[in-house]
Amino acid sequence: MRGVVFDGERVRVVDDLRVRDPGPGEVLVAVAAAGLCHSDLSVVDGTIPFPVPVVLGHEGAGVVEAVGVGVTHVAPGDHVALSTLANCGTCADCDRGRPTMCRRAIGRPGRPFTRGGEPLFQFASNSAFAERTVVKAVQAVRIPKDVPLPCAALIGCGVLTGVGAVLNRARVERGDSVLVIGAGGIGLNVIQGARIAGALRIVAVDANPAKEAPARRFGATDFLTSADAVRNVLPNGADHAFECVGRTDLIRRAVDLLDRHGQAVLLGVPPATAEASFLVSAMYLDKSILGCRYGSARPQRDIALYAELYRQGQLLLDELVTGTYPVEDFDKARADAAAGRLARAVLTF
């Protein structure tokens, strides 16, 4: 079968991958579509360290082909969106409704794939850039069949991360002011999360002026090409600032542009050893800096919720898909994404 493999030096689309059958508590999914997320590119450029060789992709949707023993919530033929969160479901954090903190789900990549007899790692417990993948049952979330699979694919990472950061982590309230630094795939989902939450002022900042139209379409009330002008729009600062780029200087700007009792939420991914600074004195105005893993999501609940919000016209998904490519055109999709020409590229099988 076809798939996108990174061997530590280069990325190739291969056609001789194999994946094992699902074991107990696992699901075999025929992937129909997968979003190309910045995190996939970060593995290739070394920003996110990951063992190789690895089958890339982590934002996908498809059709269940087979289930292992004990799986009852999905069956062959069901349409599913895939989560990257292979949480155990039984530890204290899972029991508290904090599956993103499950220690059994972090940093333990499996190797369900082989190529020429050699095992390959699975990226983010998912590897959606393959025609078929095996995931834990908890990662497969059934969705209505009238939700297009290329749109559904985006729920499992970009939407969960961006919208979830607003609703679950920051808990933006009606009437709040929101600053979003970076209007790419994650930033657009933060913007629409803020709109859904009822934020009164949503200020998007991106150096690329072409991002203004989509930012406003998703709910931005203001668009700026530089954070230097934020105080002209929000003289007192923002109640919530989301850094969606992954640059330490922009993390500092997010903190500096907060109002009293404001909170900065970090979503961009800088290099693993990056350090950021801030004025300690600012914290005495009850400001907060929040990390956020995977939108603080509860995927079985949230993916189903977001699919329903899409069906009701409240959550925009079609508008996120700004380029669709057959998997063989991965290099073109990667180049277009790196050039900032896309909100999200979707690979199809």
Side-chain angles (χ1 to χ4, degrees):
M1 67 179 186
R2 294 169 295 167
V4 180
V5 175
F6 176 53
D7 63 8
E9 296 183 358
R10 64 189 181 116
V11 181
R12 288 181 292 172
V13 179
V14 302
D15 61 6
D16 56 351
L17 277 181
R18 298 177 65 88
V19 66
R20 62 171 174 78
D21 293 333
E26 294 181 334
V27 178
L28 175 67
V29 177
V31 178
L36 176 57
C37 177
H38 185 73
S39 295
D40 299 301
L41 303 180
S42 293
V43 172
V44 176
D45 67 22
T47 301
I48 296 178
F50 205 87
V52 293
V54 57
V55 180
L56 295 175
H58 64 286
E59 187 180 70
V63 180
V64 174
E65 281 201 350
V67 300
V69 173
V71 177
T72 59
H73 75 291
V74 294
D78 284 345
H79 286 201
V80 293
L82 300 180
S83 159
T84 69
L85 194 60
N87 60 295
C88 72
T90 60
C91 69
D93 284 307
C94 287
D95 190 54
R96 292 183 183 127
R98 302 187 304 199
T100 58
M101 295 297 102
C102 175
R103 287 173 172 81
R104 299 185 192 179
I106 300 174
R108 300 184 182 184
R111 294 196 286 182
F113 299 97
T114 57
R115 181 170 181 249
E118 177 188 10
L120 287 81
F121 286 100
Q122 184 175 38
F123 180 53
S125 303
N126 190 308
S127 289
F129 292 169
E131 286 188 75
R132 290 173 182 80
T133 190
V134 169
V135 297
K136 291 185 65 172
V138 72
Q139 296 176 255
V141 183
R142 187 171 61 238
I143 57 173
K145 292 185 178 180
D146 60 357
V147 178
L149 290 172
C151 294
L154 305 184
I155 300 177
C157 180
V159 175
L160 273 184
T161 298
V163 178
V166 173
L167 301 182
N168 300 329
R169 187 65 168 130
R171 298 185 182 275
V172 172
E173 296 183 352
R174 186 169 298 278
D176 283 353
S177 59
V178 172
L179 169 65
V180 184
I181 300 177
I186 298 299
L188 289 177
N189 281 299
V190 171
I191 289 169
Q192 70 171 332
R195 170 178 51 78
I196 291 169
L200 187 63
R201 206 73 183 264
I202 304 171
V203 181
V205 177
D206 198 292
N208 183 355
K211 298 291 184 69
E212 179 171 5
R216 290 188 180 276
R217 176 71 183 88
F218 278 73
T221 59
D222 303 87
F223 181 87
L224 305 170
T225 56
S226 170
D228 293 339
V230 170
R231 290 286 181 179
N232 296 333
V233 179
L234 298 172
N236 293 326
D239 295 315
H240 311 273
F242 296 83
E243 200 284 337
C244 305
V245 180
R247 281 174 37 189
T248 56
D249 59 321
L250 294 179
I251 291 173
R252 171 61 184 267
R253 295 305 298 275
V255 175
D256 290 344
L257 289 169
L258 291 175
D259 195 356
R260 298 185 177 197
H261 206 271
Q263 51 187 12
V265 183
L266 311 186
L267 297 178
V269 182
T273 58
E275 296 183 359
S277 63
F278 60 91
L279 290 176
V280 176
S281 58
M283 296 300 105
Y284 300 121
L285 295 175
D286 282 3
K287 294 183 181 182
S288 304
I289 301 173
L290 305 179
C292 185
R293 173 176 163 79
Y294 203 37
S296 300
R298 294 163 64 182
Q300 284 288 335
R301 177 198 67 175
D302 291 348
I303 289 176
L305 169 63
Y306 298 158
E308 187 57 35
L309 289 176
Y310 166 78
R311 297 175 80 201
Q312 294 179 8
Q314 298 184 56
L315 185 77
L316 305 182
L317 294 179
D318 302 88
E319 295 82 356
L320 283 172
V321 183
T322 49
T324 303
Y325 306 77
V327 68
E328 290 81 4
D329 288 346
F330 173 81
D331 285 339
K332 183 177 184 340
R334 175 184 173 189
D336 288 347
R341 291 190 282 268
L342 305 165
R344 248 329 182 251
V346 173
L347 303 179
T348 58
F349 293 90

